[in-house]
Structure formats: C-alpha cells, structure tokens
Amino acid sequence: MTREPNPDFDRYMIALHRGEPDRVPLGDWHVDTSLKARFLGRNLERIEDEIDFCYRAGFDYVPQFAGLLTWPHGPAQSASVLRDRKVSADGDQSERVWAGERDNVVTSWEQFKKYTWPTADDFKFSQFKALDRLLPKGMKAIPVLGRIFTSVWLYMGADNFFDALGSNEELVAALFDKIGNLQYETLLRLTEHSSVGAIVSNDDCAHNTGLLIHPKYLRKYMFPWYQKFGEVCRQKGWGFVFHSDGEISEIMDDIIACGFDGFHPVQPNAMDIVETKKKWGDRLCLLGNINLDSTLTLGTPEDVRSEVYERIRTVGPGGGYMVASSNSVTNYVPFENMKAMFNATFEFGKYPIQLPDRGYADTTFKTRSRTEFQQKVESLPGLNAADYVRVFLDDNLPEAIELVERHIAAGVKPSDVLSKGMVQAMAIIGGKFQSGEIYIPEMIMAARTMSSTVGHFKDLLTAKSEVVSGRVVMGTVKGDLHDIGKNLVIMMLEGQGLTVHDLGIGVHESRFVEAVRDEKPDVLAMSALLTSTMTEMKVVIDALTNAGLRDAVKIIVGGAPVTAEFAARIGADAYAFDAPEAAQKCKELLSK
Ligand code: B12
C-alpha cells in the first residue's frame, strides 16, 4: 500500500494532549536497524537514513537515544554512546558491555569512588545538531532519555541492587543521584536544539504482575528527577512520555504528577488498555499495546491488522492514543508484520473514528492470564507458619533460629518445623508476592533468611525430612539473558526443599542435554522471556529426544511470554505462571 507520509508533529502533540488529530499517529520509540534497512532497501549509515526511514514509514518524528544507556545489546546505530569510557572490567560502553548479574560496575563505595563517571560532555549531541538542520517540514526529533532506575540497577547488577536496598541504601541513593544528575544535565544540553519536540523517558519499573521494587523507593529516588525533567519539558513546550514495561498501575498517579503527557507501551500481558484508558485516559495519552509477546511476533500480517483495528476502535475515539508495539519493534518482529502495523494505522486511524465491532477481540491473540492457583497452608498445633513469615520478611536470622529452637524444645518434630513451619512460610510469602503485597527484593531476602536458618540447623532439620526432596536443573535458554525470574524460581524451589543446579543464562541446548545426562535430575526447568527465545525450549526438548534422554526427566517451562498452551505444544510436562506456582508444579511432577 502506498501513501503520502505527510508528517506533522502537531498531530503527535494533539494526540499527546489527549485530543483528536486528523489521524492516529504512530508512537514507537525504537525500531530495530535490520527492519529499517529492509524497509529502505539499504543500510542505515547516516542520520539522513534515519530521517528517511521515519519519514517514509509515516512517523512525525525521528527518535534518537541520548544520555546514559547502560544497554548491553542495544542498537549499535545509536549516536549517543559513551566515548572510551569503561563501564565494566571487560569492555567499554561503545561495545555496550552490559553490567551483568555477577560482573558489575558499582557494588561498593570503593567502586563508586574509583569509577570514572562520565559527564554530559562525554555524550555525543551531533545527531541533534544534524536534525536541527535536516529535518523535513513537519517533523521533530524525540530524544529517548531517562533510564535512571534501570541504569542504577544495571550498574549494580540486579541481585546486588535488590540486596543493597536493604543493606546499603546510601549507596543506592548515591547512584540515583549520580545517574539522575547525569541524565538531567543531558536533558539541559538538549534544550539547545531546535529540532527537539518531545522527550521519551524509558525506565522499566515493572514486570507482568507488578512493580519490581516497592514504590516508596521510586518515589524517593526516581520521581524527583522526573519532576525536574517535567519542569524543563513544560518550559520548552515539549511533549513528555514515560515508557515502562509491565504492570505499573501503582505509580500511575506519580507519573502524572511528574508532568508526563503520555504512557508507553501499556503491555497487554500486564495491563488492559481499555481499563487503563477509563482510569487515566483523561490525564495521559496511551501509546502502544500492539502485542510483542504474540501478535506482532507470532501472528500473521492479517492478525496485526486486526489488532490495530481493534485498538483504534476501542481506544482511539476521543483522542489520546498512538499505535505502537508493546515494547519496541525488535529484530524478531517479521518485516511484513511491522509493515502491517504501520499500514493499518493509516488505514483505520482517520478521525472521527467510527469503526464497527468486527469481533476481532476474540480472534486476535489473547492476553496471558494467571492460572487458578491457591496456596495450600496446613497448620499444626503449637506451630504457626505465620511466625516464620514474619521473621523471614524481617530478615531476622537470630529470631528465626530462636523460633526453631523454641519449637523443637516444645516437642515439634524437626521435619514438621521444616515442612509445616518454614516451607509453608515460604509458600505464604510466595502468595504475598503474587498478590503484589511484597516485591522482588523482599521475596529474595525472605528466601535467603530461610536458607540461612535451614543451614544453621542443617543436620537436625534435613535428617529423615518428610519434605519433598528432588533435584532440578534450571537455566535461561540460548539467546536470552533475563534471569531475575529464573533466580526467583530457584529460590522458591529451594525454599520448598528441592535442590537446584543453576546453569545460568543463554544456555545452549547441548549444555542442557549434558546436564540431564550427567546429573540425572528429576526435573529440568527452562526459562524464557522473549518470544524469539521461547522456541529454544522446543530445541532443547528435541535435543533430549535425540539423545534418548527425554523420558529420563520431567520438563517444566515458564517465563513472561510462555503459556500453558505453548508448554503443551512443545511437549513439556508442566508450565507455571510464577515462582510459587513453579514450586507447586515441581512437587507435583516429583510425586508422579
Ligand atoms: C528486566 C527486563 C530486562 C533486563 C533483564 C535483566 C536481567 N538480569 O534479567 C534487560 C534490561 C537486560 C532486558 C533486556 C531485553 N528485554 Co527485557 N524485560 C525486562 C522486564 C522489564 C522485567 C523482567 C523481569 O525481570 N521480571 C521480574 C520477574 C520476577 O518476572 P519474570 O521474569 O516474568 O519471572 C516470573 C515468571 O515469568 C515465572 N518464570 C520465569 N521463568 C520461569 C521458568 C519456569 C520453569 C517457570 C515454571 C516459571 C518461570 O516465575 C517468575 C517469578 O514469579 C520485562 C517486562 C515484563 N513485563 O516482564 C522485559 C521484557 C521481558 N523484555 C523484553 C525485551 C523486548 C527485551 C529486549 C529485546 C529489549 C531490546 N529491545 O533490546 C532485551 C533482550 C535481551 C536478551 N537477549 O535477553 C520484552 C519481551 C517481549 C517478548 N515477548 O519478546 C519484555 C516482556 C518487555 C515488553 N514490554 O514486552 N530486559
């Protein structure tokens, strides 16, 4: 389909201010280079190519990364990389070396002081200078700048960061200050550029069911910076968009209070966009929601067209909506699907929108939902699991030890102290995580306190234990480096008495096969967070079949985009939605 691009940044701003422009704008802030190149039929080498892509695809703006990215694998074409600055022991920012889980840049005061912090002078702004000169009439530049919370925890590594919130909050505060200031200085530099029309601040605060950490930390350390950003945007008349993955309802009012005009990407697996519009649509424009977990990646162009139709039909009327993916247009989005998203926006997005209900809601890919799962909590006279819940959540090892001693002295069998006290307590704590009452750091801390308590009474508690024992090998599949969820699953499994061997991230199928052959685990657990890496799970299952080992082990799979239906399709034995359910399902597998 050919069409006149007709860029008009006013269109973007009208939509951002919750109005109805002539048509629904496109709202993505990042499209993978390979897709842009295919669209243009040539490689992207200069800023002119970026402009050309945005112009021809139908955007009203050209997005460009700015400031500190701390992005391990990010788009190499970004012009805003650090110059010759080391960000980790083994690489520099120009190679985008990621501060990995156990290979981090700043985990102590000593490292904080020793580290050569960049300043805004170290960032390149030449692309904005070029955009000042080159942008076609009607187009503006959108710097993608923010990443304060995300940079802090990537600098420390997730595990260390979650720990430090409890044990070294001053260091966390210092990092927020340093990085917040750096990003703010960068923003001030951008005020010199006439091409800039809006800012997108991308800072992922959440996963599919809730915030990664308690909102009090975000309110104390992150939002004050975005308040300052908001002030600059207001003075400049710039639009201001917040990007965060996941379910962020809890902080929506904070986002509005910072002066953000829009929220991207309203991830369908996490938030219902129609409900979100009802609640906040009078104060925030919504951008996104075209499903990267399924429709955009696994669907056909016709599925994408239907989904865009449905979004525009339900969220477009009244204004305040832009079509975009539910994260970014990644390299594993089929080219034709990307084009279908752009084309359908032009096809259906003309205001006034009066699209009839074609019943697409039932045929487009569904949002993944939590399976029905209830924690079973058995009680025993004289032993109250709630006491263990309290001491684990308080990270109070001495009191946990005292509690065990008291229960043993009162005649409770050691195996009951473990299975009906501590293991039950971890199940209850898992339930609190599921319901959003506690966050990842609290869950990790509780699991560690339990593990230390068990360690203290090792011989006593584990001798002739009636707790299900079994061995699990677990890893995140090839091509995928997400491991926060995997680590949480491991803690929960260990908290339920299982022994786990963690193979780490990006695990090749041959490594899984080798581990099953050599270690003979009862269960193999695989995690995947990307739609593109989910398929690796099937590769592993096939490799096990070819090695004659498929029947030697039960297989459980999980991760944000994985569904029960997918698990069944690839021949896994079980699927679980989250860590508490994973423990339950593993125990069921062991009893089969
Ligand atoms: C943190 C994060 C990152 C971090 C990862 C750091 C780390 N150490 O893990 C960084 C910034 C590096 C990152 C990078 C990327 N990410 Co990312 N990321 C996230 C984010 C925001 C949170 C994930 C998380 O940690 N959740 C917290 C834990 C507790 O939840 P969880 O992982 O879902 O795990 C729970 C369950 O799923 C389950 N579970 C997990 N594993 C298993 C295994 C088994 C066996 C079982 C039973 C259960 C189970 O139990 C867990 C605990 O309850 C999600 C958003 C989201 N909604 O999930 C995006 C998300 C996963 N990322 C996404 C994308 C696109 C990317 C990038 C491609 C971005 C880019 N454009 O470059 C890269 C890819 C990197 C790579 N090659 O892997 C998309 C994936 C979409 C898709 N379906 O393909 C998501 C969903 C965001 C979105 N809006 O769509 N990301």
Side-chain angles (χ1 to χ4, degrees):
M1 181 186 165
T2 53
R3 50 164 198 258
E4 267 309 302
N6 180 25
D8 179 4
F9 196 71
D10 286 347
R11 172 185 300 129
Y12 183 91
M13 289 302 279
I14 291 170
L16 206 53
H17 291 141
R18 279 91 55 214
E20 287 193 354
D22 58 337
R23 63 171 170 81
V24 174
L26 291 173
D28 265 300
W29 55 276
H30 176 59
V31 176
D32 189 79
T33 316
S34 58
L35 291 163
K36 289 192 239 186
R38 180 145 176 222
F39 186 92
L40 290 178
R42 63 173 193 272
N43 286 338
L44 285 89
E45 277 153 14
R46 302 166 313 153
I47 191 75
E48 283 87 339
D49 300 321
E50 292 289 336
I51 299 173
D52 199 21
F53 167 77
C54 293
Y55 179 84
R56 285 168 55 186
F59 289 88
D60 303 302
Y61 57 91
V62 177
Q64 283 291 299
F65 287 95
L68 187 66
L69 302 165
T70 320
W71 196 236
H73 43 70
Q77 86 281 9
S78 163
S80 299
V81 293
L82 290 172
R83 267 187 276 125
D84 301 317
R85 293 277 175 173
K86 291 271 181 202
V87 296
S88 82
D90 56 0
D92 65 31
Q93 180 79 359
S94 57
E95 285 169 62
R96 299 292 179 79
V97 173
W98 177 51
E101 284 303 274
R102 281 154 208 93
D103 175 25
N104 315 296
V105 181
V106 175
T107 57
S108 66
W109 278 110
E110 203 197 345
Q111 285 170 319
F112 181 88
K113 286 177 193 145
K114 233 169 61 190
Y115 180 65
T116 316
W117 287 96
T119 70
D121 289 338
D122 294 307
F123 300 127
K124 263 169 57 187
F125 294 91
S126 56
Q127 74 278 30
F128 296 103
K129 223 170 176 178
L131 289 171
D132 291 346
R133 275 188 298 114
L134 298 170
L135 275 182
K137 194 168 166 294
M139 289 185 97
K140 286 279 188 186
I142 299 192
V144 180
L145 166 69
R147 213 168 257 280
I148 298 171
F149 166 65
T150 313
S151 295
V152 168
W153 73 258
L154 282 177
Y155 257 80
M156 298 190 83
D159 278 0
N160 299 315
F161 171 73
F162 293 142
D163 254 6
L165 281 177
S167 61
N168 196 357
E169 200 181 322
E170 297 79 15
L171 182 62
V172 173
L175 270 153
F176 266 105
D177 197 50
K178 192 62 118 177
I179 291 168
N181 199 47
L182 184 56
Q183 305 289 47
Y184 182 65
E185 290 291 323
T186 308
L187 178 75
L188 295 182
R189 298 292 173 89
L190 289 167
T191 59
E192 295 157 18
H193 294 279
S194 58
S195 55
V196 175
I199 299 286
V200 172
S201 286
N202 56 341
D203 224 346
D204 293 331
C205 301
H207 56 101
N208 275 4
T209 54
L211 297 176
L212 294 167
I213 61 171
H214 196 289
K216 69 182 176 192
Y217 297 115
L218 301 173
R219 290 180 185 134
K220 198 162 159 194
Y221 300 121
M222 182 186 83
F223 285 122
W225 286 109
Y226 286 129
Q227 291 269 5
K228 286 170 71 120
F229 271 53
E231 190 53 33
V232 173
C233 289
R234 201 184 52 75
Q235 277 167 18
K236 293 292 293 180
W238 290 346
F240 192 27
V241 176
F242 187 69
H243 163 96
S244 171
D245 292 344
E247 158 56 285
I248 62 153
S249 301
E250 228 180 327
I251 52 166
M252 216 59 157
D253 291 335
D254 300 273
I255 288 165
I256 293 163
C258 287
F260 282 105
D261 305 299
F263 166 55
H264 174 276
V266 203
Q267 219 194 304
N269 270 353
M271 296 176 82
D272 179 321
I273 194 164
V274 175
E275 287 306 312
T276 307
K277 172 130 175 161
K278 271 191 212 147
K279 280 196 200 149
W280 294 285
D282 57 336
R283 286 166 292 158
L284 278 177
C285 165
L286 303 179
L287 302 87
N289 200 248
I290 306 303
N291 203 333
L292 188 70
D293 283 339
S294 52
T295 320
L296 258 186
T297 42
L298 304 174
T300 63
E302 192 47 37
D303 293 327
V304 175
R305 189 168 169 269
S306 309
E307 190 156 302
V308 172
Y309 180 97
E310 194 53 24
R311 281 308 142 265
I312 294 178
R313 183 184 80 78
T314 51
V315 195
Y321 177 59
M322 299 192 209
V323 170
S325 68
S326 63
N327 176 275
S328 54
V329 185
T330 54
N331 61 353
Y332 50 88
V333 171
F335 178 68
E336 294 304 330
N337 285 3
M338 175 185 79
K339 275 202 339 196
M341 179 169 74
F342 296 163
N343 288 340
T345 308
F346 274 74
E347 187 182 350
F348 304 123
K350 283 180 207 67
Y351 280 104
I353 287 161
Q354 282 159 339
L355 300 174
D357 182 354
R358 290 190 190 159
Y360 280 148
D362 293 327
T363 52
T364 48
F365 285 86
K366 287 249 169 53
T367 299
R368 189 181 78 127
S369 60
R370 184 190 292 279
T371 43
E372 277 307 311
F373 169 64
Q374 291 290 321
Q375 288 289 351
K376 276 185 258 126
V377 180
E378 300 162 36
S379 60
L380 199 75
L383 182 83
N384 191 350
D387 291 335
Y388 286 99
V389 171
R390 185 177 47 77
V391 293
F392 289 166
L393 283 177
D394 282 352
D395 192 19
N396 195 334
L397 182 61
E399 218 187 306
I401 291 172
E402 208 184 294
L403 206 57
V404 175
E405 281 165 349
R406 199 158 7 110
H407 284 139
I408 303 275
V412 182
K413 279 197 298 181
S415 60
D416 282 343
V417 170
L418 186 60
S419 65
K420 306 217 166 60
M422 293 193 235
V423 170
Q424 291 285 348
M426 262 326 278
I428 296 171
I429 289 167
K432 286 181 186 292
F433 172 72
Q434 287 181 321
S435 66
E437 202 183 315
I438 62 166
Y439 302 84
I440 297 173
E442 289 80 11
M443 175 109 166
I444 292 178
M445 200 172 62
R448 290 210 182 121
T449 314
M450 169 173 171
S451 153
S452 307
T453 314
V454 175
H456 187 86
F457 294 101
K458 202 169 183 16
D459 298 338
L460 184 69
L461 291 179
T462 47
K464 290 201 215 109
S465 167
E466 284 157 27
V467 177
V468 188
S469 63
R471 277 175 310 113
V472 180
V473 161
M474 178 154 197
T476 300
V477 296
K478 190 170 75 190
D480 202 319
L481 54 74
H482 294 85
D483 67 355
I484 298 173
K486 167 185 72 65
N487 295 346
L488 220 52
V489 170
I490 290 176
M491 285 185 188
M492 201 63 204
L493 296 184
E494 288 176 344
Q496 300 297 298
L498 302 167
T499 308
V500 187
H501 177 189
D502 180 7
L503 296 179
I505 55 173
V507 181
H508 194 274
E509 65 269 19
S510 60
R511 180 72 194 96
F512 279 115
V513 171
E514 190 184 293
V516 169
R517 183 186 297 118
D518 298 348
E519 297 172 35
K520 302 186 177 47
D522 303 291
V523 178
L524 174 66
M526 289 184 276
S527 178
L529 269 277
L530 302 175
T531 310
S532 57
T533 58
M534 256 160 62
T535 45
E536 283 301 319
M537 293 170 162
K538 169 91 167 66
V539 173
V540 175
I541 294 177
D542 288 347
L544 283 168
T545 308
N546 292 339
L549 290 166
R550 175 61 191 95
D551 296 332
V553 69
K554 299 277 190 233
I555 296 177
I556 182 165
V557 294
V562 180
T563 60
E565 189 259 317
F566 175 79
R569 188 147 37 92
I570 63 168
D573 300 300
Y575 154 81
F577 180 83
D578 57 16
E581 192 181 341
Q584 188 66 35
K585 290 278 176 70
C586 278
K587 287 202 278 188
E588 282 168 24
L589 286 177
L590 286 167
S591 62
K592 275 183 188 165

